[in-house]
Amino acid sequence: DAGSSVEEMEFNWDEYLEDTGATAAPHGSFKHVDTSLQNGFAPGMKLEVAVKSDQNTYWVATIITTCGQLLLLRYDGYGEDRKADFWCDIMTADLHPIGWCEQNKKILKVPEGIKDKIPNQEEFLQQVLKGACSAPANLLEGLHRGKNPLDLIAPGSRLELQNIRDSLEAWIVNVVENVGGRLKLRFEGLEDCDKFDQWLFYLDPFLHQVGWAAQHGYSLQPPLAIRSLKSEADWQEILKKVKEEEEESSVPTDLFKDKPVIGVHSFSEGMKLEAVDPMAPFGISPATVLKVYNEKYFMIEMDDLRPDRAAGQCYICHVNSAGIFPVQWSLKNGLHLSPPPGYPGQDFDWADYLKQCGAEAAPQSCFPSLNSDHGFKENMKLEAVNPVDPEEVCIATVTKLKDSYLWLQLEGSKKPVPECIVNVESMNIFPVGWCETNGYQLSPPRKAIVNKQKKIAVVQPEKQILSSRTVHDGLKNQELNSSDSVVINGKYCCPKIYFNHRCFSGPYLNKGRIAELPQSVGPGNCVLVLKEVLTLLINAAYKPSRVLRELQLDEEAAWHGHGETLKAKYKGKSYRATVEVVRTADRVADFCRKTCIKLECCPNLFGPQMVLDKCSENCSVLTKTKYTHYYGKRKNKRIGRPPGGHSNLEVAMKKPNKRRKRRKHFFVHKKKRSSASVDNTPAGSPQGSGGEEEDDQDESEVSHSLAQDRDKRKRKLRTFSFSDDENKPPSPKDIKMEVAEKLQLDSNPLEWSVADVVRFLKSTDCAPLARIFLDQEIDGQALLLLTLPTVQECMDLKLGPAIKLCHHIERVKLAFYQQFAN
């Protein structure tokens, strides 16, 4: 009686790669994505810049490096001397294209530092500006200043799209949506009709700026598929309207400068070849060159031998089109070649087929050389467009590679799709995380969960606690005795575990959420019941990640239970850790009690005993502050025990240094903690609300404004985690608080060299990122200009590491203002 269902989950790439043991395809393999991230400025471009020492004069400078909206410049005349390089922000600096000074009657004057090297200014300028490429004027001035060029293709912009199905004519398309350069296009004149919409990357060789068709001698005609929807007069009226509005909706021409250049082909009509149908790229079949338009374009038809066939599947190609191969390519690469529909028999033979058709094979010289140096490997993961439904982007796995081609298995598509064949330079494949970066929905893989009655089906609640009630009902079916007394049947059968929500819930657990939990879980297999109990508790916490950390397995503890991996989600981040769970029924009560003590709550909060009216620990009379004070000072004999005695409380003593090192393996997006860190959870924080809105900062980060009494309370709170020989609370001098600590600089960061910046970063917990700063030649000036968006975009960092890095940059900025700004 097994029922199965599909579980929709919030998808996380890091977690998925870890679960599947797969790796992500390298970002550098997606050249079209790299191109789309460029800011329009390139090393070697020249511009006119205000001279620092004399703001009324300007001089020519060359771009050395770009970093988001920051440019590293060098005045012409310094040659290879890097000492005078300087960073500036496109949005704030006085930058202009070449020729601006002449047009605006401004003075071009050699800076003082290189006056001696340039005796004749006019002659020097003629020499350096000969054949020079000026920085684009539209990105230095006006509305587009400092913008990523890609943002200029806004919804409402117009482009021209060649019709690749039946002719080379072009027609106007409107941009409906721009997702990181992937454009949703609608034919001009169709207004709200989305039936014929297409998705293309902006660098597609068949997509052009308005005016391209007229320049290259092609006519503007709507495609056959839509031509019958309006009269010829209507289409001409639409064309007239477009020409009138050309200025408003045009896209800058230089945006297409990185488009692939179409070369000259040498195909002739009637030649045979092997091809992948772009409309159904699931196999390789024989095809014929049906028509040659000119030296750049030719039409291919997929072969179909059926007598009653409809119009053949045709499409237009150029010499670098993907999916065209010489005859016998499949055979040489051990691939299956699908015979044309209507071919007698399944064993296809090219020699017989060519003789039968009276045709010749396209020679090898017609085809471009295939690139095998692309970085993709089998089992790598990426994101890919579903060829059947181009609106959908799915998770894809590389199942096979041959030369420049990948076989991709798509996961999570609305309808099952066979393995599809794509070229490594296809603009329909993207690196892991591309959808998330561009705010587009990635179709996540669907995970089937099978619930069987005879066995416990424990489903970890990923999104909401309520899903655990289903599990609880499943566990209920296993009850071995209907009475509520604890009945243990068998060594590995766990009794019912009760949640006594009236008991004291401690500083980590939210009392309101505890009250929403089922009354009990179990009975059933010890490991499964306890795993479910711990999962429910983690999800009932103010900060689930913090509770998971408290429960995490300590390798030094002499406890030989069973290691189970538990997960927690907090503020969009996923955490996981191995937690020790006992396997036998005789240890369950002790396990529950010890876990309660770890979480600093009443030892009866959950366990095999149901608390009816009054807790045996009398925890109701204690406030949270007194309770946590007791946990922190339990060894001090002068402080009386709480009523009800907790004489047998045991807490495993741990060495914080080692524990924190181990945590690093289990947790992602987490700041380093100092060896004597203090807890950031206010000991008296209200239980019912507000817990979720705590700063998601590391526990060692304590703001200056904390009152002294709270500091004292915090130091008491964590004393229990120190080993016996250091059981007294550390003195304030011993507590190193990474963030609150004021940074003292020995030198002015404005004067730091690249080496100084690297040295500073190596002294922080962002040392692994120092290499990026060295490669990008970021000195002190550039460091002070960096912001979170710039760091994320140009250094390709995830949000966690980017925030951590920016935190250190802000410390330098603060120290700079306090020590050197005056």
Side-chain angles (χ1 to χ4, degrees):
D1 293 5
S4 69
S5 63
V6 171
E7 180 190 38
E8 288 293 336
M9 295 165 59
E10 181 188 330
F11 182 72
N12 179 296
W13 260 117
D14 289 333
E15 221 171 87
Y16 178 74
L17 290 172
E18 194 177 328
D19 287 346
T20 55
T23 55
H27 272 65
S29 297
F30 304 88
K31 294 184 177 65
H32 60 297
V33 176
D34 274 352
T35 304
S36 71
L37 295 173
Q38 289 168 11
N39 65 359
F41 296 94
M45 284 182 177
K46 295 190 185 291
L47 35 91
E48 294 174 359
V49 190
V51 177
K52 285 186 182 179
S53 54
D54 183 358
Q55 291 293 323
N56 295 320
T57 65
Y58 295 80
W59 190 241
V60 176
T62 301
I63 298 173
I64 306 298
T65 303
T66 67
C67 182
Q69 63 185 51
L70 304 179
L71 303 176
L72 179 65
L73 304 176
R74 183 182 303 163
Y75 285 125
D76 282 14
Y78 276 99
E80 295 302 312
D81 185 0
R82 294 164 52 178
K83 286 178 190 168
D85 290 2
F86 59 98
W87 288 89
C88 58
D89 188 328
I90 300 164
M91 298 302 286
T92 55
D94 197 358
L95 307 175
H96 305 280
I98 296 296
W100 179 85
C101 284
E102 193 178 341
Q103 289 168 12
N104 293 275
K105 307 287 186 286
K106 297 288 182 184
I107 303 164
L108 274 173
K109 186 181 174 186
V110 183
E112 288 293 326
I114 47 173
K115 238 179 183 176
D116 303 341
K117 296 183 181 178
I118 303 172
N120 187 329
Q121 179 177 312
E122 294 299 319
E123 197 179 300
F124 176 79
L125 284 174
Q126 276 183 0
Q127 192 182 333
V128 296
L129 296 178
K130 189 178 179 182
C133 175
S134 172
N138 63 317
L139 296 180
L140 288 170
E141 298 159 349
L143 293 172
H144 300 157
R145 181 175 181 178
K147 276 194 176 179
N148 184 325
L150 208 52
D151 298 335
L152 306 182
I153 313 178
S157 303
R158 288 191 177 105
L159 298 163
E160 286 181 5
L161 176 63
Q162 281 176 273
N163 180 5
I164 63 161
R165 302 306 300 168
D166 44 46
S167 70
L168 273 180
E169 294 161 344
W171 186 243
I172 311 290
V173 283
N174 272 297
V175 176
V176 178
E177 202 177 335
N178 177 354
V179 181
R182 191 166 181 257
L183 309 177
K184 185 177 186 180
L185 304 169
R186 184 167 300 163
F187 288 114
E188 186 70 48
L190 295 192
E191 283 79 40
D192 299 324
C193 173
D194 59 3
K195 185 182 171 185
F196 300 97
D197 285 2
Q198 295 190 44
W199 282 91
L200 288 176
F201 203 71
Y202 80 106
L203 295 172
D204 189 284
F206 289 100
L207 192 62
H208 313 278
Q209 71 270 29
V210 171
W212 176 89
Q215 285 172 20
H216 293 81
Y218 295 102
S219 61
L220 277 173
Q221 286 286 345
L224 285 175
I226 66 167
R227 203 172 290 177
S228 59
L229 299 177
K230 290 184 188 293
S231 67
E232 185 61 32
D234 287 343
W235 288 122
Q236 289 308 315
E237 191 60 39
I238 288 166
L239 209 50
K240 188 179 168 187
K241 179 186 153 205
V242 167
K243 283 178 180 169
E244 286 169 5
E245 297 172 1
E246 197 172 318
E247 282 295 310
E248 302 162 31
S249 60
S250 64
V251 170
T253 314
D254 58 347
L255 199 58
F256 299 98
K257 68 182 188 315
D258 296 307
K259 261 175 60 172
V261 177
I262 293 176
V264 175
H265 72 81
S266 51
F267 286 94
S268 305
E269 281 182 22
M271 282 182 173
K272 295 282 183 187
L273 65 158
E274 295 181 2
V276 173
D277 180 358
M279 302 306 287
F282 311 123
I284 304 171
S285 300
T288 306
V289 177
L290 190 65
K291 185 176 180 181
V292 173
Y293 288 95
N294 52 33
E295 61 179 14
K296 288 191 173 180
Y297 300 104
F298 54 97
M299 181 181 274
I300 279 181
E301 181 182 38
M302 305 303 293
D303 285 2
D304 188 340
L305 306 179
R306 291 173 295 189
D308 58 340
R309 69 188 179 116
Q313 183 73 285
C314 304
Y315 59 97
I316 290 167
C317 290
H318 51 84
V319 69
N320 292 316
S321 285
I324 54 173
F325 314 97
V327 161
Q328 305 286 16
W329 186 82
S330 299
L331 183 68
K332 286 173 187 170
N333 285 280
L335 300 167
H336 174 67
L337 181 72
S338 304
Y343 183 79
Q346 281 299 305
D347 296 327
F348 181 81
D349 181 76
W350 261 116
D352 289 349
Y353 185 61
L354 290 171
K355 197 180 287 182
Q356 185 185 329
C357 299
E360 62 165 324
Q364 179 74 47
S365 57
C366 289
F367 301 88
S369 56
L370 296 175
N371 163 34
S372 52
D373 181 24
H374 43 64
F376 289 101
K377 290 179 183 168
E378 274 187 29
N379 297 320
M380 279 184 170
K381 301 281 181 184
L382 55 142
E383 297 176 6
V385 173
N386 180 351
V388 177
D389 178 6
E391 193 139 345
E392 188 177 39
V393 181
C394 304
I395 290 165
T397 306
V398 179
T399 56
K400 188 162 52 184
L401 295 109
K402 292 291 175 189
D403 293 331
S404 302
Y405 288 85
L406 309 173
W407 274 250
L408 298 179
Q409 184 65 58
L410 302 186
E411 299 173 45
S413 54
K414 289 169 192 164
K415 292 178 181 174
V417 178
E419 272 188 355
C420 46
I421 305 166
V422 299
N423 187 280
V424 292
E425 292 180 3
S426 164
M427 295 184 198
N428 282 329
I429 56 173
F430 304 94
V432 159
W434 182 86
C435 280
E436 188 183 355
T437 303
N438 292 287
Y440 196 74
Q441 179 60 50
L442 175 71
S443 297
R446 287 187 290 275
K447 192 174 164 187
I449 293 175
V450 180
N451 295 316
K452 294 187 180 175
Q453 282 198 332
K454 298 292 179 186
K455 294 181 182 177
I456 304 172
V458 177
V459 182
Q460 292 187 13
E462 288 284 340
K463 283 194 174 177
Q464 50 184 355
I465 296 165
L466 292 175
S467 61
S468 291
R469 292 191 183 277
T470 331
V471 179
H472 173 58
D473 295 339
L475 289 168
K476 229 175 185 177
N477 295 333
Q478 286 203 357
E479 290 189 21
L480 303 167
N481 193 305
S482 58
S483 76
D484 279 343
S485 60
V486 177
V487 176
I488 299 177
N489 179 13
K491 186 180 177 184
Y492 300 105
C493 184
C494 182
K496 270 189 184 181
I497 300 297
Y498 294 95
F499 292 106
N500 300 309
H501 66 86
R502 289 189 181 87
C503 286
F504 175 73
S505 59
Y508 305 128
L509 302 176
N510 182 319
K511 196 170 184 69
R513 289 183 188 168
I514 294 285
E516 290 174 7
L517 297 181
Q519 185 188 36
S520 64
V521 174
N525 175 282
C526 276
V527 171
L528 293 176
V529 170
L530 292 175
K531 187 176 176 182
E532 173 62 11
V533 167
L534 294 179
T535 301
L536 289 169
L537 287 170
I538 287 165
N539 286 315
Y542 291 117
K543 292 173 73 172
S545 56
R546 179 61 199 272
V547 168
L548 185 59
R549 204 178 295 154
E550 291 304 318
L551 297 175
Q552 188 177 309
L553 172 66
D554 181 15
E555 290 167 16
E556 290 177 1
W559 192 345
H560 307 293
H562 179 80
E564 279 292 327
T565 301
L566 296 185
K567 297 177 185 177
K569 283 196 174 182
Y570 183 58
K571 292 199 174 179
K573 295 174 189 171
S574 297
Y575 301 81
R576 59 176 62 213
T578 303
V579 174
E580 186 115 32
V581 177
V582 294
R583 303 173 76 167
T584 54
D586 57 332
R587 298 171 66 189
V588 167
D590 188 47
F591 171 82
C592 291
R593 194 172 181 85
K594 284 182 177 177
T595 304
C596 286
I597 291 166
K598 274 187 188 178
L599 299 179
E600 299 182 29
C601 55
C602 172
N604 288 337
L605 181 69
F606 62 92
Q609 295 294 333
M610 182 196 282
V611 173
L612 295 168
D613 297 319
K614 197 175 179 186
C615 171
S616 61
E617 300 289 348
N618 202 16
C619 63
S620 59
V621 302
L622 292 170
T623 64
K624 188 173 281 192
T625 312
K626 284 179 185 170
Y627 217 91
T628 47
H629 181 78
Y630 160 71
Y631 268 110
K633 286 284 191 177
R634 69 188 182 285
K635 294 255 178 166
N636 193 328
K637 290 174 186 173
R638 285 173 295 175
I639 293 176
R641 291 200 307 273
H646 298 207
S647 53
N648 60 344
L649 289 183
E650 290 175 37
V651 177
M653 296 302 182
K654 298 160 190 159
K655 293 183 182 176
N657 279 348
K658 287 190 179 176
R659 178 170 172 178
R660 282 175 181 76
K661 270 183 187 170
R662 275 194 300 278
R663 281 177 188 162
K664 200 170 173 186
H665 299 302
F666 294 105
F667 287 88
V668 292
H669 303 307
K670 195 171 82 61
K671 290 192 171 78
K672 280 189 180 176
R673 302 172 65 181
S674 56
S675 58
S677 71
V678 291
D679 191 342
N680 199 23
T681 311
S685 66
Q687 290 193 9
S689 64
E692 292 87 347
E693 291 175 11
E694 293 173 44
D695 267 357
D696 188 20
Q697 290 178 324
D698 188 78
E699 285 76 7
S700 65
E701 293 180 30
V702 183
S703 70
H704 289 295
S705 60
L706 284 176
Q708 279 186 334
D709 60 309
R710 192 193 271 182
D711 263 319
K712 284 177 189 169
R713 206 184 314 147
K714 283 184 181 179
R715 287 197 289 275
K716 286 169 185 169
L717 185 72
R718 289 298 285 171
T719 359
F720 75 96
S721 72
F722 288 78
S723 56
D724 288 332
D725 57 337
E726 44 187 28
N727 201 31
K728 62 181 190 300
S731 68
K733 283 179 189 172
D734 297 334
I735 296 177
K736 292 178 184 175
M737 296 180 206
E738 276 182 22
V739 181
E741 187 183 17
K742 190 173 164 184
L743 184 67
Q744 283 292 330
L745 299 176
D746 298 329
S747 59
N748 187 340
L750 269 181
E751 295 163 6
W752 284 3
S753 64
V754 176
D756 293 330
V757 171
V758 168
R759 200 174 300 117
F760 165 72
L761 281 171
K762 284 186 174 174
S763 69
T764 69
D765 57 355
C766 290
L769 304 178
R771 181 81 211 166
I772 300 174
F773 281 70
L774 189 62
D775 293 344
Q776 299 270 10
E777 297 183 357
I778 296 175
D779 59 11
Q781 281 184 38
L783 185 76
L784 295 180
L785 286 169
L786 288 176
T787 59
L788 181 61
T790 310
V791 163
Q792 270 188 286
E793 184 184 331
C794 301
M795 298 188 180
D796 199 21
L797 296 178
K798 290 190 179 173
L799 186 60
I803 289 173
K804 194 192 293 188
L805 175 60
C806 285
H807 161 69
H808 290 297
I809 294 169
E810 291 305 315
R811 290 174 69 209
V812 174
K813 287 180 185 177
L814 184 63
F816 165 71
Y817 289 126
Q818 289 175 341
Q819 292 176 239
F820 302 101
N822 296 328

